[in-house]
Amino acid sequence: RNDGFIVHNEHGCKKCCMKPILGRRFRSKAFPDFNLCATCVAGYDGPIAGPWDDMSDHEVDTGFVLKLTIDDGSGDAQTRRFDGADLWDSSNSTLSFAKLTTIASDFAFKRQIAEMVEKVKVSYIDDDGEKITISSDRELMESFRQAMQQSSVQSLRIHAIFPKSDETHWGKQVADDKLVQRDIGNLVRAPLGVLILVTRLTMQYSRYY
């Protein structure tokens, strides 16, 4: 079940008009063509009432590939493939924008950097060839639905671009600091006689000059 990530390709929600329905789908027992998504069925008070059949295990597809192109700010972009289920938030029945940016940060920097996650620019190209910005769960869901309607190939291409940063410089500074600490440690651990000899040679050199 991929943690609740389910795509009902042929069915849409009659209340919020989401098509295809993602996650659990509920069908009216009285009106078989009337379907609601998990979010809408919880507070539905329309003219068509329950009971409802949970159709989550019927005629569904859980295979959807997300192609994520990541630019860490250096201009050297890389494309990664992973399952759409990795973005699914079962508690809210939605694709999670936060999970998307976290995955992008992990790939770009091998770890999560809060400042970079907050500043990442995420977008996709729609069927008109225009770049559309994604910054919320709702916009991510909308991009997914458009991808499902536009192509028989179940994949969505998303671009995540991080701003240029001093991340590489930070790494160099840390390495330099460790080198200095190592040299100081070696000096402290040197025999006392060596330190006295160095001091005497320095004083004699100063005396002649």
Side-chain angles (χ1 to χ4, degrees), residues 21-98:
I21 291 178
L22 303 183
R24 299 172 68 187
R25 173 173 70 92
F26 294 87
R27 184 184 68 182
S28 170
K29 288 187 174 182
F31 300 89
D33 292 333
F34 192 90
N35 296 276
L36 294 177
C37 65
T39 300
C40 292
V41 75
Y44 183 73
D45 58 356
I48 298 179
W52 306 93
D53 286 326
D54 188 342
M55 307 298 293
S56 300
D57 291 322
H58 298 264
E59 300 177 1
V60 299
D61 188 1
T62 58
F64 193 91
V65 175
L66 181 64
K67 297 180 180 179
L68 179 61
T69 300
I70 306 165
D71 186 339
D72 63 359
S74 64
D76 184 17
Q78 297 184 4
T79 300
R80 303 279 184 167
R81 294 166 57 99
F82 56 94
D83 197 289
D86 294 335
L87 302 184
W88 186 249
D89 180 0
S90 58
S91 62
N92 295 310
S93 297
T94 186
L95 294 172
S96 171
F97 180 73

Side-chain angles (χ1 to χ4, degrees), residues 168-182:
T168 54
H169 298 299
W170 295 337
K172 182 178 184 302
Q173 184 63 46
V174 170
D176 291 344
D177 290 344
K178 289 182 178 179
L179 181 61
V180 171
Q181 292 172 5
R182 186 193 68 187

Side-chain angles (χ1 to χ4, degrees), residues 7-22 24-27 32-37 40 145 149:
V7 182
H8 301 267
N9 293 305
E10 303 300 325
H11 302 89
C13 177
K14 293 296 185 180
K15 183 177 181 181
C16 69
C17 299
M18 174 176 66
K19 185 177 181 178
I21 291 178
L22 303 183
R24 299 172 68 187
R25 173 173 70 92
F26 294 87
R27 184 184 68 182
D33 292 333
F34 192 90
N35 296 276
L36 294 177
C37 65
C40 292
R145 287 196 294 270
Q149 295 171 3

Side-chain angles (χ1 to χ4, degrees), residues 42-169:
Y44 183 73
D45 58 356
I48 298 179
W52 306 93
D53 286 326
D54 188 342
M55 307 298 293
S56 300
D57 291 322
H58 298 264
E59 300 177 1
V60 299
D61 188 1
T62 58
F64 193 91
V65 175
L66 181 64
K67 297 180 180 179
L68 179 61
T69 300
I70 306 165
D71 186 339
D72 63 359
S74 64
D76 184 17
Q78 297 184 4
T79 300
R80 303 279 184 167
R81 294 166 57 99
F82 56 94
D83 197 289
D86 294 335
L87 302 184
W88 186 249
D89 180 0
S90 58
S91 62
N92 295 310
S93 297
T94 186
L95 294 172
S96 171
F97 180 73
K99 288 188 176 183
L100 172 64
T101 55
T102 297
I103 290 174
S105 178
D106 287 341
F107 278 130
F109 306 107
K110 309 304 180 186
R111 61 192 177 94
Q112 295 182 32
I113 303 176
E115 181 182 359
M116 293 295 101
V117 171
E118 293 175 356
K119 294 181 179 180
V120 64
K121 302 297 183 182
V122 180
S123 63
Y124 75 102
I125 305 300
D126 68 3
D127 56 342
D128 295 323
E130 297 181 351
K131 181 187 291 186
I132 306 299
T133 299
I134 302 174
S135 59
S136 66
D137 294 349
R138 182 183 62 80
E139 292 172 347
L140 181 59
M141 289 280 282
E142 180 61 27
S143 68
F144 179 91
R145 287 196 294 270
Q146 287 197 21
M148 290 291 295
Q149 295 171 3
Q150 294 167 10
S151 175
S152 58
V153 179
Q154 294 188 334
S155 65
L156 172 63
R157 296 179 180 272
I158 292 181
H159 298 263
I161 301 178
F162 292 90
K164 291 182 179 180
S165 71
D166 295 329
E167 174 64 16
T168 54
H169 298 299

